[in-house]
Amino acid sequence: MTVIRQAQGLVSMFFSLRSPGIRIYQCLGKRSFHRINSIICSENVTSKFDDKPEFPGSKSEFVSKLEFIEPDNIKGIPVYRALGRNGNIIEESEDPKLDSSTVLKMYKDMTLLNTMDRILYESQRQGRISFYMTNYGEEGTHIGSAAALDPRDLVFGQYREAGVLMWRGFTLDQFMDQCYGNVNDMGKGRQMPVHYGTKKLNFVTISSTIGTQMPQAAGAAYALKRAKDGLCVICYFGDGAASEGDAHAAFNFAAVLDCPVIFFCRNNGYAIFTPVKDQYRGDGIASRGVGYGMMTVRVDGNDVFAVYNAVKSAREIAVTQNRPVLIEAMTYRIGHHSTAHDNADYRSAEEVRYWDEQDNPISRLRNYMIINGIWDEKMEREWKLESRKMVMRAFADAETRKRPSPDEMFEDVYDVLPKHLENQLEEMKNHVKQYKENYPLEHHEKLT
Ligand SMILES: Cc1ncc(C[n+]2csc(CCOP(=O)(O)OP(=O)(O)O)c2C)c(N)n1
């Protein structure tokens, strides 16, 4: 494993910029100009610089034949995988050799996440919570990456990474309390559902504004580098987020300032209804990593072991060499973008079914477990019942808890409430008291 293992296999998949660099087209040779009796003369100069460009930052050579780089003729960046669809290890050297309890936790978290998604999605459909986003199809990217990190590594998520939190020990009660915005929600009901955050588990609170987490992650990684405590940052983002200006700022700062951050792209094929073919013209997100001078690899995100191996090696690079690494995990979003959007508006049911049935990260891992004798049909049946019970219990408890008092929305920003907010608080209280029949006050803690 780690660096030695990388040298054997995976590291060859990381693209580091040790390649010759893009060469510079030059037509005229270098000449020296000087003035004799008002006539400008020139003469050929030969020096060691004649064959090597001297431009600041240049890493390449001169060429004398004009040739454009034709992106369509460059071979695509390959996709690294360890597990075949039927659950067999493809190359013995790429078997992460995880003990069976780790593999079982991986599988149980992936399937529990699935069950939780189903219940919370339905709960929104029945009007019990305001919003929800499922993680169907991307469970392998969450669990494979989370398992390869140090739990003290700092996570900046986008919003579709609930499995990372689950791996770190966020409980079903905590998920449900956040989605219900009840008194036990750490955000006190001020955030939309799925905007989780917990200092205890080193998971920075989700922000709805796409891409904001990316420069923040680069900055936090710079701070970790200065602290010299051997930790790194992981920053999750989607293929759509990669089109934001913030992505450019984050990649460039992290590369130039040598920040220990893993940029983990979940390339799930769509940004709401925009397919990747309308999102970019180049070779996905991985090709950009090389452009920014980052170690880069593309992995099969539906292969939890490939994701695990890639993140383990990327973490080693980040913390030992203080360098950013870009991982592009290829996957597919099986669920609707959120409860506010419908798949049927932009893709066919057959397309979604194909990924669900033919290339599903959960069934791939289950096949591996069955082949290796650590799972069987009876265990599957029992776990399905047990996990559903666990989710339903947490769901029922969260629903019965009261919501915070409305006056709490004014707290936790200022140490001392400024005058204009004090006035607003008073106005809100008077308004709610006057029109109490229009507000579900019985579901909230009492107004002070
Ligand atoms: C700055 C900004 N622009 C637009 C939106 C609306 N929006 C929310 S999610 C989303 C798509 C993001 O897609 P992607 O990054 O691929 O992530 P995925 O949802 O596929 O996981 C958009 C455009 C937003 N929240 N913030």
Side-chain angles (χ1 to χ4, degrees):
M1 240 9 247
T2 67
V3 173
I4 299 164
R5 207 180 147 277
Q6 293 163 18
Q8 293 164 346
L10 185 57
V11 92
S12 62
M13 307 293 292
F14 277 94
F15 284 72
S16 76
L17 268 187
R18 300 238 166 76
S19 51
I22 297 169
R23 290 170 298 167
I24 297 172
Y25 168 64
Q26 184 194 42
C27 201
L28 290 172
K30 197 165 192 174
R31 302 175 88 83
S32 161
F33 293 86
H34 51 213
R35 190 180 280 265
I36 306 169
N37 294 336
S38 304
I39 303 165
I40 294 177
C41 301
S42 74
E43 63 187 35
N44 274 327
V45 175
T46 49
S47 79
K48 66 185 164 90
F49 297 118
D50 252 7
D51 301 326
K52 209 74 185 137
E54 298 162 61
F55 309 108
S58 179
K59 294 176 178 168
S60 63
E61 290 167 3
F62 282 123
V63 288
S64 48
K65 217 167 159 0
L66 180 61
E67 225 176 290
F68 286 89
I69 298 168
E70 171 52 76
D72 293 340
N73 290 342
I74 296 175
K75 217 169 138 210
I77 295 173
V79 182
Y80 166 72
R81 62 181 184 152
L83 266 184
R85 284 189 187 184
N86 54 6
N88 59 318
I89 294 279
I90 298 164
E91 190 86 51
E92 193 49 34
S93 64
E94 300 308 300
D95 184 348
K97 298 211 173 359
L98 299 169
D99 56 50
S100 55
S101 63
T102 306
V103 177
L104 279 173
K105 175 167 164 52
M106 283 176 150
Y107 183 72
K108 286 192 167 179
D109 279 1
M110 285 163 78
T111 44
L112 188 61
L113 176 63
N114 227 243
T115 307
M116 181 180 84
D117 274 353
R118 217 162 297 130
I119 305 290
L120 281 170
Y121 182 82
E122 284 310 317
S123 157
Q124 194 281 338
R125 283 292 180 249
Q126 293 164 8
R128 301 162 105 130
I129 59 174
S130 58
F131 176 82
Y132 194 67
M133 292 177 117
T134 62
N135 303 275
Y136 302 138
E138 299 183 47
E139 302 87 349
T141 63
H142 302 189
I143 301 301
S145 58
L149 294 169
D150 183 312
R152 294 168 302 159
D153 291 335
L154 190 59
V155 179
F156 283 82
Q158 180 155 311
Y159 46 62
R160 209 184 298 283
E161 293 90 13
V164 176
L165 263 178
M166 192 171 266
W167 180 270
R168 286 194 170 193
F170 207 62
T171 62
L172 287 172
D173 289 316
Q174 288 173 315
F175 280 112
M176 299 283 173
D177 290 336
Q178 198 283 334
C179 289
Y180 272 89
N182 64 29
V183 283
N184 284 1
D185 167 27
M186 286 182 256
K188 300 186 183 173
R190 298 157 177 160
Q191 286 266 25
M192 283 168 77
V194 315
H195 290 58
Y196 312 109
T198 153
K199 197 170 178 185
K200 190 162 161 242
L201 300 177
N202 302 304
F203 192 102
V204 178
T205 305
I206 301 300
S207 162
S208 273
T209 327
I210 294 293
T212 44
Q213 79 278 18
M214 301 178 75
Q216 292 165 3
Y222 187 69
L224 285 183
K225 168 178 152 174
R226 286 170 59 91
K228 293 196 176 76
D229 46 13
L231 298 176
C232 71
V233 168
I234 188 159
C235 174
Y236 295 91
F237 61 101
D239 41 279
S243 297
E244 286 283 347
D246 275 356
H248 163 80
F251 293 157
N252 206 42
F253 268 110
V256 172
L257 299 175
D258 298 321
C259 303
V261 50
I262 302 168
F263 289 111
F264 190 101
C265 178
R266 297 176 292 95
N267 189 338
N268 62 16
Y270 289 88
I272 311 187
F273 30 66
T274 306
V276 286
K277 73 171 173 43
D278 294 333
Q279 187 76 242
Y280 51 72
R281 180 71 172 81
D283 185 17
I285 311 302
S287 60
R288 301 180 202 174
V290 183
Y292 285 102
M294 285 191 278
M295 294 284 276
T296 299
V297 72
R298 176 177 282 154
V299 299
D300 181 342
N302 296 344
D303 172 352
V304 69
F305 288 172
V307 174
Y308 175 87
N309 286 344
V311 174
K312 193 104 187 141
S313 296
R315 185 180 190 281
E316 189 74 14
I317 294 165
V319 299
T320 59
Q321 302 176 32
N322 270 327
R323 296 184 69 179
V325 181
L326 175 72
I327 297 176
E328 183 182 17
M330 308 307 292
T331 182
Y332 187 85
R333 167 165 61 74
I334 292 174
H336 304 285
H337 168 75
S338 74
T339 45
H341 303 86
D342 202 303
N343 277 341
D345 294 343
Y346 56 91
R347 57 182 177 177
S348 69
E350 291 73 51
E351 178 186 315
V352 177
R353 199 173 313 117
Y354 168 80
W355 289 95
D356 194 17
E357 290 171 3
Q358 305 298 324
D359 196 3
N360 188 301
I362 291 180
S363 45
R364 204 188 295 198
L365 181 61
R366 184 168 52 235
N367 289 342
Y368 168 87
M369 290 159 69
I370 291 170
I371 292 171
N372 288 277
I374 55 175
W375 198 251
D376 57 29
E377 275 183 26
K378 182 167 169 281
M379 291 163 99
E380 177 76 18
R381 269 197 312 276
E382 286 170 0
W383 170 240
K384 259 196 180 144
L385 283 176
E386 186 191 340
S387 54
R388 196 178 152 79
K389 244 191 234 163
M390 286 159 60
V391 173
M392 290 308 290
R393 203 248 336 120
F395 164 76
D397 286 356
E399 199 165 47
T400 51
R401 281 186 197 110
K402 286 207 161 176
R403 314 247 158 118
S405 166
D407 51 7
E408 283 198 42
M409 71 177 144
F410 289 86
E411 293 174 7
D412 298 332
V413 175
Y414 294 97
D415 182 27
V416 178
L417 207 60
K419 193 71 199 143
H420 71 285
L421 288 184
E422 240 178 57
N423 293 342
Q424 284 183 23
L425 172 61
E426 272 322 296
E427 275 175 32
M428 184 274 290
K429 282 185 188 170
N430 293 337
H431 169 85
V432 170
K433 277 176 193 155
Q434 189 176 350
Y435 298 103
K436 52 181 172 301
E437 64 281 7
N438 296 307
Y439 290 98
L441 292 175
E442 67 282 11
H443 297 311
H444 287 260
E445 297 271 90
K446 213 167 153 19
L447 260 175
T448 53

